[in-house]
Amino acid sequence: MTIRNPIEWATDQLKLAGLVVGSASRAGVGTEELDTRLPEVRAIRIADLGDVLARGLDDFAAYRTDVIFLCIVYPVVGLVLGRLAFGYGMLPLLFPLASGFALIGPFAAVGLYEMSRRREQGGNVAWPDAFGVIRSRSFGAIVVLGLLLVAIFLFWLVAAEAIYEVTLGPEPP
């Protein structure tokens, strides 16, 4: 094996990522019959909300270190965005960054949902299991939803910048 330059290495990594995503999107397709029944829709009561919170706390208590590790990634990205706002003179966009970043939260939590699902099925769960969602049949739909949320977030930032420019002008405060 030879030492490659950064461009060759990056190209190989992109090819590998494409192969992994392609194989993950085909995983499970055609191996079982799809369930075409409509889901049962139930009304949500206040007691149901308490039950959901209790189960979430139970998940957190059972796998604290895994959840804390995974929950560090989302706030760190938020802090990086905040630092970029301060570092590049985008201070007026700090609030839109902070409020719009919450749009990406459900996509960021997909791994935690997978861990909860596995725990509910009675399996042994560790933090690498959060990436098990990649093997899901609906991984493509999850990626599309995540990209849609990121697009809405970026549109939100462009709209906030445009409003700022129109109302306060291009000069910094």
Side-chain angles (χ1 to χ4, degrees):
M1 176 167 210
T2 61
I3 296 176
R4 298 173 291 167
N5 66 41
I7 295 173
E8 289 175 330
W9 181 84
T11 303
D12 288 344
Q13 293 303 311
L14 288 173
K15 287 179 184 176
L16 180 63
L19 290 172
V20 168
V21 169
S23 67
S25 66
R26 291 186 300 274
V29 174
T31 58
E32 58 190 39
E33 192 66 31
L34 295 177
D35 187 9
T36 58
R37 294 178 293 158
L38 292 175
E40 176 187 350
V41 178
R42 299 181 298 158
I44 297 176
R45 297 181 306 277
I46 297 295
D48 295 330
L49 296 176
D51 183 46
V52 166
L53 287 173
R55 286 184 181 193
L57 285 173
D58 189 40
D59 278 350
F60 180 75
Y63 299 106
R64 266 190 304 251
T65 56
D66 300 338
V67 173
I68 289 172
F69 173 78
L70 291 172
C71 289
I72 286 174
V73 173
Y74 184 66
V76 164
V77 171
L79 290 172
V80 167
L81 284 175
R83 175 65 181 109
L84 288 174
F86 282 112
Y88 289 104
M90 296 179 1
L91 189 59
L93 288 180
L94 185 61
F95 175 74
L97 274 170
S99 59
F101 190 61
L103 287 170
I104 303 172
F107 181 64
V110 167
L112 298 175
Y113 301 150
E114 177 67 16
M115 289 175 67
S116 291
R117 186 187 67 78
R118 287 186 183 209
R119 182 166 183 259
E120 197 173 81
Q121 291 176 345
N124 192 10
V125 180
W127 73 267
D129 293 328
F131 300 105
V133 74
I134 292 172
R135 292 184 299 273
S136 169
R137 285 190 315 227
S138 34
F139 181 68
I142 292 170
V143 169
V144 169
L145 176 64
L147 292 174
L148 178 66
L149 290 173
V150 168
I152 291 171
F153 175 57
L154 294 175
F155 179 74
W156 165 255
L157 289 178
V158 168
E161 177 69 19
I163 291 169
Y164 178 79
E165 294 284 330
V166 168
T167 58
L168 299 175
E171 296 296 318

